[in-house]
């Protein structure tokens, strides 16, 4: 007999994204606290056997495992499909309150940023509290169990903003990686942000170290992690980038920033530093398996080889890239060359939402449009949003359903009008057909945080009222 704390019993399908790409039918998943202790099914087949390029044979194998599994809490999986929790690798939660502003809808990145900084400079601890709950709420309701956030606007006297984020994440029950952003180049130094939201390198280093020492643990299954993340090469100095890299390696944490998002950025780097963005970052110590960049659109083929060789990763944000007209990241080439790629929604002001399921479908369609049958399959994109994203942020215990992995997953009810005949291949369905609803269950760290499409740990109606009030204050 095998015991756990929570048993999901007899799910129609469990798409595991495990090392063998197994999909189980009539599946059981046994969870014991923070980790999965067993996954099995009456039958199994390999997802990549029916969806990857060049193969088309689905071989179904009967499995025989009659051991008794037991837990005090049991969820019936009848009629459900179970997926590993999605991992979002780049976001700016606070931007949720400045989405859909008419004046910026037609702008590209640089003028878009200049306009919005004038609003963002008024954010405070309440803005951060409610925007974190709002963003994580939407992420949990749509299957994302771990989210990175990149907060880089620290107006003087605004309070302890990252601390408030971790509190909100704990309240709602999400796993969170806070990338401590920073800016030290304001308008007067040739940067884009106003003077009141930048900090000195000393202030940034001191607060970064405090946050790592207070919240970060490098242990598997950690609910909180900290990463150092100067905003972008056009809003921070070379010294800040260099010192951040040194401190991150001293403290044993990862590094993250925006890179190669726009042609404007490339031109800025060529004009101001005489070299391309990646070479600039490499000289400052910003490549390696502990570094991932958001966007990564304008890399040359040689630069992609260099990323693959050094293990440097890319967070792919297709909706933001389309909305700001930034370009199309070379994801097909990256995957073929072995560059680490994860998926991300980016900030809500350029998305304008926090739905990684939607991001998966858009990513699938965008690359189909460009590359036809060379493009990643629906299952490839699911893996990008699960094991790919997990690897990008150095968390290999996340993103798959297998013994020893973190107990993060979501379940959707396949018996609904919008999914009729869609589940012929559940491993690709989320991308090829798309799922527009909320999850039946989302489970993080072994705890149910969404049930029947509602957040379990907070009062959604109260959150909507208070978050709308704070959004109105900020915009005013
Ligand atoms: Zn971003």
């Amino acid at each position: 007999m095998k015991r756990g704390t929570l048993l999901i019993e007899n799910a129609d399908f469990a798409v595991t994204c495990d090392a063998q790409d197994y999909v189980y039918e009539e599946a059981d998943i046994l969870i014991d606290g923070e980790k999965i202790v067993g996954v099995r099914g009456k039958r199994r087949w390999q997802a990549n056997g029916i969806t990857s390029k060049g193969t088309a044979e689905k071989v179904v194998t009967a499995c025989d495992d009659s051991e008794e599994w037991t837990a005090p809490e049991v969820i019936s999986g009848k009629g459900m499909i179970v997926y590993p929790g999605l991992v979002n690798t780049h976001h700016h939660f606070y931007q949720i309150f400045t989405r859909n502003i008419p004046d910026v809808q037609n702008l590209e990145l640089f003028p878009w940023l200049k306009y919005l900084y004038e609003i963002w400079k008024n954010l405070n601890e309440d803005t951060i509290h409610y925007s974190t709950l709002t963003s994580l709420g939407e992420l949990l309701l749509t299957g994302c169990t771990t989210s990175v956030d990149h907060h880089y606007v620290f107006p003087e006297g605004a309070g302890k903003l990252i601390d408030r984020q971790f509190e909100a994440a704990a309240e709602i029950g999400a796993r969170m990686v806070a990338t401590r952003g920073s800016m030290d180049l304001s308008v007067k130094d040739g940067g884009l942000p106003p003077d009141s939201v930048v900090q000195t390198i000393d202030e940034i280093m001191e607060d970064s170290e405090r946050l790592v020492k207070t919240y970060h643990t490098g242990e598997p299954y950690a609910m909180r992690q900290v990463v150092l993340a100067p905003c972008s090469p056009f809003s921070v100095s070379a010294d800040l980038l260099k010192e951040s890299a040194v401190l991150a390696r001293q403290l044993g944490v990862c590094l993250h920033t925006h890179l190669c998002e726009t042609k404007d950025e490339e031109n800025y780097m060529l004009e101001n530093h005489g070299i391309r963005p990646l070479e600039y970052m490499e000289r400052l110590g910003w490549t390696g398996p502990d570094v991932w960049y958001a966007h990564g659109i304008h890399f040359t083929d040689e630069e992609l080889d260099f990323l693959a060789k050094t293990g440097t990763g890319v967070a792919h944000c297709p909706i933001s890239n389309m909305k700001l007209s930034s370009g199309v990241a070379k994801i097909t080439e990256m995957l073929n060359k072995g560059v680490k790629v994860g998926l991300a929604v980016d900030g809500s002001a350029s998305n304008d939402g926090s739905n990684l399921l939607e991001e998966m479908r858009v990513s699938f369609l965008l690359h189909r449009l460009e590359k036809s049958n060379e493009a990643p399959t629906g299952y490839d994109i699911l893996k990008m949003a699960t094991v790919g994203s997990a690897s990008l942020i150095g968390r290999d215990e996340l993103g798959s359903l297998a013994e020893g992995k973190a107990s993060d997953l979501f379940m959707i009810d396949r018996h609904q009008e919008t999914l009729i005949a869609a589940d012929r291949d559940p491993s690709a369905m989320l991308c090829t057909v798309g799922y527009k609803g909320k999850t039946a269950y989302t489970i993080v760290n072994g705890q149910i945080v969404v049930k029947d499409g509602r957040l379990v740990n907070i009062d959604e109606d109260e959150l909507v009222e208070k978050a709308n009030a704070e959004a109105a204050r900020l915009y005013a």
Side-chain angles (χ1 to χ4, degrees), residues 90-92 95 150 152 256 258 261 294-295 317 320 346-347 350:
H90 182 70
H91 204 321
H92 312 286
Q95 292 184 3
H150 187 187
Y152 56 86
H256 177 55
H258 295 94
E261 181 174 1
H295 306 295
C317 312
S320 170
D346 198 12
S350 62

Side-chain angles (χ1 to χ4, degrees), residues 88 91 93 96 130-142 144-149 165-177 354 450 455 458 463:
N88 178 43
H91 204 321
F93 294 160
I96 196 114
Y130 289 114
S131 60
T132 302
L133 286 178
T134 308
S135 301
L136 285 174
E138 185 177 352
L139 287 161
L140 292 173
L141 288 164
T142 51
C144 175
T145 50
T146 298
S147 186
V148 167
D149 190 62
Q165 289 199 303
F166 278 131
E167 286 165 14
E171 188 180 336
I172 206 165
R175 204 182 290 278
M176 183 176 161
V177 177
S354 302
V450 173
L455 296 166
I458 58 163
L463 173 62

Side-chain angles (χ1 to χ4, degrees), residues 316 318 322 328 361-370:
H316 177 39
M322 292 162 84
V328 183
R361 171 141 166 89
V362 168
S363 180
F364 170 73
L365 293 173
L366 174 63
H367 300 296
R368 283 285 302 166
L369 173 65
E370 270 221 324

Side-chain angles (χ1 to χ4, degrees), residues 54 86 103 164 211 254 266 286 327 380 429 465 470:
L86 307 176
D103 289 358
R164 299 293 89 78
L211 287 165
C254 291
E266 189 177 304
W286 269 78
D380 290 336
M429 181 189 86
E465 197 175 309
E470 177 52 27

Side-chain angles (χ1 to χ4, degrees), residues 155-463:
E156 205 181 342
K160 290 197 158 95
L161 303 181
I162 305 273
D163 302 66
R164 299 293 89 78
Q165 289 199 303
F166 278 131
E167 286 165 14
E171 188 180 336
I172 206 165
R175 204 182 290 278
M176 183 176 161
V177 177
T179 72
R180 203 290 183 189
S182 53
M183 299 189 289
D184 69 336
L185 283 187
S186 66
V187 177
K188 69 172 165 32
D189 304 311
L192 294 178
D195 297 343
S196 64
V197 300
V198 302
Q199 296 177 298
T200 65
I201 295 181
D202 285 348
E203 285 170 331
I204 293 163
M205 291 299 122
E206 192 185 319
D207 192 51
S208 298
E209 190 167 353
R210 177 188 72 81
L211 287 165
V212 172
K213 289 188 169 157
T214 309
Y215 295 106
H216 181 83
T217 157
E219 298 295 310
Y221 318 111
M223 289 295 284
R224 292 168 165 174
Q225 283 197 330
V226 178
V227 166
L228 303 195
C231 183
S232 64
F234 54 85
S235 56
V236 311
S237 66
D239 284 343
L240 175 55
L241 285 165
K242 215 185 304 174
E243 290 193 30
S244 296
V246 170
L247 181 64
R249 282 160 186 147
Q250 269 169 15
L251 297 171
V253 301
C254 291
L255 289 161
H256 177 55
T257 192
H258 295 94
L259 202 74
C260 290
E261 181 174 1
T262 62
K263 279 283 172 195
D264 283 347
E265 175 199 318
E266 189 177 304
N267 294 335
Y268 176 95
M269 298 307 293
L270 288 168
E271 274 164 31
N272 287 273
H273 301 283
I275 45 175
R276 293 178 49 78
L278 183 61
E279 186 180 350
Y280 178 74
M281 297 305 279
E282 197 228 337
R283 287 184 190 179
L284 298 171
W286 269 78
T287 51
D290 55 349
V291 180
W292 84 97
Y293 304 130
H295 306 295
I297 297 170
H298 301 284
F299 287 124
T300 64
D301 284 350
E302 295 72 45
E303 288 171 340
L304 294 183
D305 289 334
F306 182 75
L307 293 179
K309 195 176 84 188
T310 55
T312 313
V314 172
H316 177 39
C317 312
I319 294 181
S320 170
N321 299 161
M322 292 162 84
K323 171 128 195 245
L324 294 175
S325 198
S326 303
V328 183
K330 298 176 183 170
I331 298 303
T332 306
E333 292 86 343
M334 288 186 202
L335 293 178
N336 288 341
K337 286 173 182 288
V339 177
K340 282 199 296 188
V341 184
L343 199 66
V345 298
D346 198 12
S348 302
S350 62
N351 183 298
D352 290 1
S354 302
N355 186 334
L356 208 53
L357 288 173
E358 184 185 31
E359 202 78 33
M360 286 164 57
R361 171 141 166 89
V362 168
S363 180
F364 170 73
L365 293 173
L366 174 63
H367 300 296
R368 283 285 302 166
L369 173 65
E370 270 221 324
K371 300 284 183 182
S372 184
N373 60 2
E374 294 297 311
T377 64
Y379 181 62
D380 290 336
I381 300 284
L382 173 66
K383 287 189 78 176
M384 186 193 298
T386 52
V387 280
S389 286
S391 168
L392 191 70
I393 63 169
R395 299 292 299 269
D396 288 333
E397 81 277 23
L398 307 177
S400 59
L401 302 176
E403 195 176 334
K405 301 293 180 177
S407 35
D408 294 2
L409 56 85
F410 68 99
M411 300 168 66
I412 61 177
D413 181 356
R414 61 192 280 244
H415 291 293
Q416 48 184 304
E417 197 269 343
T418 55
L419 291 180
I420 290 166
D423 48 12
R424 216 157 265 144
D425 177 7
S427 70
M429 181 189 86
L430 297 175
C431 298
T432 50
V433 178
Y435 178 62
K436 285 97 186 167
K438 293 173 182 173
T439 64
Y441 287 93
T442 303
I443 292 171
V444 183
N445 202 35
Q447 304 293 317
I448 298 170
V449 297
V450 173
K451 187 176 179 186
D452 299 330
R454 298 285 289 182
L455 296 166
V456 169
N457 295 323
I458 58 163
D459 182 331
E460 275 186 47
D461 298 331
E462 191 186 325
L463 173 62

